[in-house]
Every structure is written in C-alpha cells, then in structure tokens.
Amino acid sequence: MDKHFDVIVWGSSPRGIERAIALKNSGKKVLLAARFGFPGGKHTESLAAFFGKSLKGEDSLDQRLVSRAAAMPFGVLNQNPSGILLHPESIKRICWEWITKAELPVLFHVLPAGLVKNEQGNVLRLFGREGFFELTAGAIEDHADNIPLSGIHADAHYNMYIHAIFNDPLPLSLPGFNLVRNVETPIGRFVSISLRKVAGRAIDDTFNRELNRLSTEGWSKYRSRIRMIPVYPEIIPVQQ
C-alpha cells in the first residue's frame, strides 16, 4: 500500500468519512484510518445509535443518516418524542456506501502507536496484523468520535455508557444498574446503562465486567438473551 499521503483522517465516524471524502474531492491524496474493522464510529462500535429530536436542519449529516436509514428495513428501531434510535448495522451499511461511492482508500483495524513530526512530514506509527509500520502525511486530522488518536488517558476520568440489544423481553427497571434507556424495538430490547467517573486505566476492565454482569443477569433473572453487544463502550471525558 502507499505510505505517503497529503492527509490522513483518523476515525471512521460519519463526520470523519464526510471530511475524508471532501478532501479527496478537492484533489488531496487521502487515507481514512480507524481502530476497528468497520466504519460508523461510536454508532457502530459502541451501538450509540440514538439521535436526539433536535437534528440540525434537513441538510445536516445526522439528518441525512437518519433519512437514509429510514428507507431501510429495520433501519429505524424506535422513535419517540425524545429522539430516534437507528439500527447500528444500518449505519454501518450507510457508511460503507459513502466510502465505496467515493472510492475512498481506507485502512481499518489498526492501533496508533505514536505520532512524530520530522523533515518528511507527520509520521504516524501504527500496529496492525503484520506488526508495526509507519505512514507519512502533510497533515493528520483526528475525527474519531469516541477514542481519540491520542488514546485514553490513564489518569483522566470518563463517563461510560454501555449499550446492548437483548432478544427477549426485559422489565422496565433493572435493579443494580444505572439504567438510562430501555426501549422496545422490532429486533429486541435496547438497553443503555451508565457508569460515572471511571478512571481511564480502568475502562477496559470495567466495561468487560459490567457487560458480562448485564448479560449474565439478563439471562439468569429474566431469561433474556443478549443479541448485540458493543466492541467498546461509549465514553465521554469528565470536565475537570
């Protein structure tokens, strides 16, 4: 693959994809790179597919995403006065459509391992299936909407949201969990729980523990099987 670009866009969020396409259309040599093996950002990696009722006008990116999903079978999972819930898989499909139509070069499933600047430009070191390698670019833009290019800071604190879809019915309240969303959809029950002020160094362990507890209690107490789980929680830095 090429290792020299005008711009590397990090993060396959819808806004990252939109930005990469705009740069390509302006004549730039662009690469879209991301941590996970599929596009969609937090909407697909964390199942954070709920959009508030106040979308920013008919021509906004969110509105275009919602409108396209609405044309798909099960693209919209739930709609109520507070907002609209899209199927994460529909968002993934839409993002692939945008990428394919624009013939946008992508590099997915890579981890950032360092960023330095030298006489060649910005050098981004990555780790993938074949080990460590380096790419250079005149500019590197971070459009990740969950885990930034700089990574999670061990000493910082984050609010964490874990979203999941269960096959079978669940009660409206789940004792022992801070439940923020529990709605019925055509493919099962969409559930969101939150944890406050989790240290960066503890995010992975907390996520795995709480997701396992949610899945286990859903089955053992309510005979509800988990259908769709995130690969990473939705995280929001706590403002100090």
Short mmCIF file of all heavy atoms in Angstrom, two decimals, residues 72-100:
data_model
loop_
_atom_site.label_atom_id
_atom_site.label_comp_id
_atom_site.label_asym_id
_atom_site.label_seq_id
_atom_site.Cartn_x
_atom_site.Cartn_y
_atom_site.Cartn_z
N MET A 72 -34.47 1.91 4.90
CA MET A 72 -34.03 0.52 5.00
C MET A 72 -34.96 -0.28 5.91
O MET A 72 -35.51 0.26 6.87
CB MET A 72 -32.61 0.45 5.59
CG MET A 72 -31.54 1.09 4.76
SD MET A 72 -29.93 0.98 5.63
CE MET A 72 -28.85 1.57 4.33
N PRO A 73 -35.14 -1.57 5.64
CA PRO A 73 -35.91 -2.42 6.56
C PRO A 73 -35.24 -2.43 7.94
O PRO A 73 -34.03 -2.69 8.03
CB PRO A 73 -35.85 -3.80 5.90
CG PRO A 73 -35.55 -3.53 4.46
CD PRO A 73 -34.69 -2.30 4.44
N PHE A 74 -35.98 -2.13 8.97
CA PHE A 74 -35.48 -2.09 10.35
C PHE A 74 -34.37 -1.06 10.55
O PHE A 74 -33.63 -1.13 11.53
CB PHE A 74 -34.99 -3.46 10.81
CG PHE A 74 -36.04 -4.52 10.77
CD1 PHE A 74 -35.96 -5.56 9.85
CD2 PHE A 74 -37.13 -4.47 11.62
CE1 PHE A 74 -36.93 -6.54 9.79
CE2 PHE A 74 -38.12 -5.44 11.58
CZ PHE A 74 -38.01 -6.49 10.66
N GLY A 75 -34.25 -0.10 9.63
CA GLY A 75 -33.24 0.95 9.80
C GLY A 75 -33.53 1.81 11.01
O GLY A 75 -32.61 2.23 11.72
N VAL A 76 -34.80 2.09 11.25
CA VAL A 76 -35.24 2.82 12.45
C VAL A 76 -35.81 1.80 13.42
O VAL A 76 -36.78 1.10 13.11
CB VAL A 76 -36.29 3.89 12.10
CG1 VAL A 76 -36.82 4.54 13.37
CG2 VAL A 76 -35.68 4.94 11.18
N LEU A 77 -35.22 1.72 14.61
CA LEU A 77 -35.65 0.73 15.60
C LEU A 77 -36.70 1.29 16.57
O LEU A 77 -37.52 0.54 17.07
CB LEU A 77 -34.45 0.23 16.40
CG LEU A 77 -33.41 -0.58 15.61
CD1 LEU A 77 -32.27 -1.01 16.53
CD2 LEU A 77 -34.06 -1.79 14.94
N ASN A 78 -36.64 2.58 16.83
CA ASN A 78 -37.59 3.17 17.77
C ASN A 78 -37.63 4.68 17.54
O ASN A 78 -36.60 5.28 17.26
CB ASN A 78 -37.18 2.87 19.22
CG ASN A 78 -38.19 3.39 20.23
OD1 ASN A 78 -38.15 4.54 20.64
ND2 ASN A 78 -39.11 2.53 20.65
N GLN A 79 -38.81 5.23 17.66
CA GLN A 79 -38.97 6.68 17.54
C GLN A 79 -39.95 7.14 18.59
O GLN A 79 -41.04 6.59 18.74
CB GLN A 79 -39.46 7.06 16.14
CG GLN A 79 -39.39 8.54 15.84
CD GLN A 79 -39.54 8.84 14.35
OE1 GLN A 79 -39.75 7.94 13.55
NE2 GLN A 79 -39.44 10.10 13.98
N ASN A 80 -39.56 8.15 19.36
CA ASN A 80 -40.41 8.68 20.42
C ASN A 80 -40.15 10.18 20.54
O ASN A 80 -39.30 10.73 19.82
CB ASN A 80 -40.16 7.94 21.74
CG ASN A 80 -38.72 8.02 22.18
OD1 ASN A 80 -38.18 9.11 22.37
ND2 ASN A 80 -38.07 6.86 22.37
N PRO A 81 -40.86 10.89 21.41
CA PRO A 81 -40.69 12.35 21.49
C PRO A 81 -39.28 12.83 21.80
O PRO A 81 -38.92 13.96 21.47
CB PRO A 81 -41.66 12.75 22.61
CG PRO A 81 -42.72 11.70 22.58
CD PRO A 81 -42.00 10.44 22.24
N SER A 82 -38.46 11.96 22.41
CA SER A 82 -37.10 12.40 22.77
C SER A 82 -36.09 12.18 21.65
O SER A 82 -35.00 12.76 21.69
CB SER A 82 -36.62 11.68 24.04
OG SER A 82 -36.52 10.29 23.81
N GLY A 83 -36.41 11.36 20.66
CA GLY A 83 -35.46 11.15 19.58
C GLY A 83 -35.73 9.89 18.80
O GLY A 83 -36.81 9.29 18.89
N ILE A 84 -34.72 9.45 18.05
CA ILE A 84 -34.87 8.31 17.15
C ILE A 84 -33.67 7.38 17.32
O ILE A 84 -32.53 7.82 17.41
CB ILE A 84 -35.03 8.79 15.69
CG1 ILE A 84 -35.35 7.64 14.76
CG2 ILE A 84 -33.80 9.55 15.22
CD1 ILE A 84 -35.80 8.10 13.38
N LEU A 85 -33.96 6.08 17.37
CA LEU A 85 -32.92 5.06 17.51
C LEU A 85 -32.77 4.33 16.19
O LEU A 85 -33.73 3.76 15.67
CB LEU A 85 -33.31 4.08 18.62
CG LEU A 85 -32.39 2.87 18.81
CD1 LEU A 85 -31.02 3.31 19.32
CD2 LEU A 85 -33.02 1.86 19.77
N LEU A 86 -31.54 4.36 15.63
CA LEU A 86 -31.27 3.66 14.38
C LEU A 86 -30.64 2.30 14.66
O LEU A 86 -30.03 2.09 15.71
CB LEU A 86 -30.32 4.49 13.50
CG LEU A 86 -30.77 5.88 13.09
CD1 LEU A 86 -29.77 6.49 12.12
CD2 LEU A 86 -32.17 5.86 12.48
N HIS A 87 -30.78 1.41 13.71
CA HIS A 87 -30.11 0.11 13.80
C HIS A 87 -28.62 0.34 13.53
O HIS A 87 -28.25 0.88 12.49
CB HIS A 87 -30.69 -0.83 12.75
CG HIS A 87 -30.39 -2.28 12.98
ND1 HIS A 87 -29.13 -2.74 13.29
CD2 HIS A 87 -31.20 -3.38 12.97
CE1 HIS A 87 -29.16 -4.04 13.43
NE2 HIS A 87 -30.41 -4.46 13.26
N PRO A 88 -27.74 -0.06 14.45
CA PRO A 88 -26.30 0.14 14.21
C PRO A 88 -25.81 -0.47 12.90
O PRO A 88 -24.92 0.09 12.24
CB PRO A 88 -25.65 -0.52 15.43
CG PRO A 88 -26.68 -0.43 16.49
CD PRO A 88 -27.99 -0.62 15.79
N GLU A 89 -26.38 -1.61 12.52
CA GLU A 89 -25.95 -2.24 11.27
C GLU A 89 -26.36 -1.41 10.06
O GLU A 89 -25.66 -1.43 9.03
CB GLU A 89 -26.54 -3.65 11.17
CG GLU A 89 -25.90 -4.65 12.11
CD GLU A 89 -24.42 -4.86 11.82
OE1 GLU A 89 -24.04 -4.91 10.63
OE2 GLU A 89 -23.64 -4.97 12.79
N SER A 90 -27.46 -0.68 10.15
CA SER A 90 -27.86 0.18 9.03
C SER A 90 -26.87 1.34 8.90
O SER A 90 -26.53 1.76 7.78
CB SER A 90 -29.28 0.70 9.21
OG SER A 90 -29.37 1.67 10.24
N ILE A 91 -26.40 1.86 10.04
CA ILE A 91 -25.40 2.93 9.99
C ILE A 91 -24.11 2.42 9.37
O ILE A 91 -23.49 3.10 8.53
CB ILE A 91 -25.15 3.49 11.40
CG1 ILE A 91 -26.43 4.11 11.97
CG2 ILE A 91 -24.03 4.53 11.38
CD1 ILE A 91 -26.30 4.62 13.38
N LYS A 92 -23.72 1.22 9.74
CA LYS A 92 -22.51 0.62 9.15
C LYS A 92 -22.66 0.50 7.63
O LYS A 92 -21.73 0.83 6.87
CB LYS A 92 -22.27 -0.75 9.78
CG LYS A 92 -20.96 -1.41 9.36
CD LYS A 92 -20.85 -2.82 9.92
CE LYS A 92 -20.87 -2.84 11.42
NZ LYS A 92 -20.70 -4.24 11.95
N ARG A 93 -23.82 0.04 7.21
CA ARG A 93 -24.06 -0.13 5.77
C ARG A 93 -24.03 1.21 5.05
O ARG A 93 -23.45 1.33 3.95
CB ARG A 93 -25.41 -0.81 5.56
CG ARG A 93 -25.79 -0.99 4.11
CD ARG A 93 -27.12 -1.72 4.00
NE ARG A 93 -27.65 -1.63 2.64
CZ ARG A 93 -28.84 -2.09 2.28
NH1 ARG A 93 -29.62 -2.69 3.16
NH2 ARG A 93 -29.27 -1.95 1.03
N ILE A 94 -24.64 2.23 5.63
CA ILE A 94 -24.65 3.56 5.01
C ILE A 94 -23.23 4.10 4.87
O ILE A 94 -22.84 4.65 3.83
CB ILE A 94 -25.53 4.52 5.82
CG1 ILE A 94 -26.99 4.10 5.77
CG2 ILE A 94 -25.37 5.96 5.33
CD1 ILE A 94 -27.87 4.75 6.81
N CYS A 95 -22.44 3.94 5.92
CA CYS A 95 -21.06 4.42 5.88
C CYS A 95 -20.25 3.71 4.80
O CYS A 95 -19.45 4.33 4.09
CB CYS A 95 -20.40 4.25 7.25
SG CYS A 95 -21.02 5.38 8.52
N TRP A 96 -20.46 2.39 4.67
CA TRP A 96 -19.78 1.67 3.59
C TRP A 96 -20.23 2.17 2.23
O TRP A 96 -19.43 2.26 1.28
CB TRP A 96 -20.05 0.17 3.70
CG TRP A 96 -19.14 -0.58 4.64
CD1 TRP A 96 -19.50 -1.37 5.69
CD2 TRP A 96 -17.70 -0.63 4.60
NE1 TRP A 96 -18.39 -1.90 6.31
CE2 TRP A 96 -17.28 -1.46 5.66
CE3 TRP A 96 -16.74 -0.05 3.78
CZ2 TRP A 96 -15.93 -1.73 5.91
CZ3 TRP A 96 -15.40 -0.30 4.02
CH2 TRP A 96 -15.00 -1.14 5.07
N GLU A 97 -21.50 2.51 2.09
CA GLU A 97 -22.00 3.06 0.83
C GLU A 97 -21.26 4.35 0.48
O GLU A 97 -20.84 4.56 -0.66
CB GLU A 97 -23.50 3.33 0.93
CG GLU A 97 -24.37 2.10 0.89
CD GLU A 97 -25.84 2.45 1.02
OE1 GLU A 97 -26.17 3.64 1.25
OE2 GLU A 97 -26.69 1.53 0.90
N TRP A 98 -21.12 5.24 1.48
CA TRP A 98 -20.43 6.51 1.24
C TRP A 98 -18.97 6.26 0.84
O TRP A 98 -18.46 6.89 -0.09
CB TRP A 98 -20.48 7.37 2.51
CG TRP A 98 -21.83 7.87 2.87
CD1 TRP A 98 -22.95 7.89 2.07
CD2 TRP A 98 -22.23 8.44 4.12
NE1 TRP A 98 -24.01 8.43 2.74
CE2 TRP A 98 -23.61 8.78 4.00
CE3 TRP A 98 -21.57 8.70 5.31
CZ2 TRP A 98 -24.31 9.36 5.05
CZ3 TRP A 98 -22.28 9.28 6.35
CH2 TRP A 98 -23.63 9.60 6.22
N ILE A 99 -18.32 5.36 1.55
CA ILE A 99 -16.90 5.06 1.27
C ILE A 99 -16.74 4.47 -0.13
O ILE A 99 -15.85 4.87 -0.89
CB ILE A 99 -16.35 4.10 2.34
CG1 ILE A 99 -16.22 4.82 3.69
CG2 ILE A 99 -15.01 3.52 1.91
CD1 ILE A 99 -15.93 3.90 4.85
N THR A 100 -17.60 3.51 -0.47
CA THR A 100 -17.50 2.83 -1.77
C THR A 100 -17.79 3.78 -2.92
O THR A 100 -17.07 3.80 -3.93
CB THR A 100 -18.46 1.64 -1.81
OG1 THR A 100 -18.16 0.74 -0.74
CG2 THR A 100 -18.36 0.90 -3.14
#
